Amino acid sequence: MKSDVNKLLKKNEQLNQLDSVKVISHVQRESGDWFQHTLMLDGYDVPFKYKRTKKYRSLEGASVNLTYYPQTEKVAGMEFESMKVVRIRRS
């Protein structure tokens, strides 16, 4: 499994990897046909976001491994930094 992550990281230099981080908050919102998931992680002030086609069990309190890249969203004329999750696994 580590080799898959290493391939992704080598392929795209902007990707980052976090291992065994604790999820403090997990919010799931319906957005059309998709569910928008937002995670807040222990020690990070930035939301980690990803979309899935259905609801997922709550990850709150769980330890996860994430592959993500930084992005900037513009809301009401203000820019907010967030992280777009490409891959998530319970650890």
Side-chain angles (χ1 to χ4, degrees):
M1 188 153 91
K2 271 289 191 196
S3 63
D4 294 340
V5 172
N6 291 335
K7 286 180 190 176
L8 279 173
L9 293 174
K10 284 182 182 179
K11 192 174 182 180
N12 189 341
E13 293 178 8
Q14 291 182 336
L15 280 177
N16 297 306
Q17 172 72 24
L18 284 177
D19 291 321
S20 300
V21 256
K22 185 177 179 184
V23 177
I24 295 173
S25 172
H26 180 199
V27 178
Q28 303 179 57
R29 290 182 302 283
E30 195 168 351
S31 176
D33 292 340
W34 292 82
F35 285 92
Q36 174 74 41
H37 298 259
T38 304
L39 301 175
M40 291 302 291
L41 304 177
D42 191 25
Y44 294 89
D45 295 333
V46 179
F48 289 76
K49 297 181 175 186
Y50 63 98
K51 289 183 179 181
R52 294 291 182 262
T53 55
K54 58 184 176 181
K55 277 193 152 188
Y56 193 75
R57 63 180 166 204
S58 179
L59 294 172
E60 198 165 322
S63 181
V64 295
N65 297 338
L66 293 169
T67 305
Y68 65 94
Y69 62 90
Q71 67 179 7
T72 305
E73 295 179 274
K74 201 168 196 175
V75 178
M78 296 175 57
E79 289 189 358
F80 291 96
E81 185 181 20
S82 65
M83 303 297 169
K84 180 160 177 83
V85 176
V86 176
R87 185 174 194 243
I88 184 168
R89 299 278 187 263
R90 279 184 175 242
S91 58

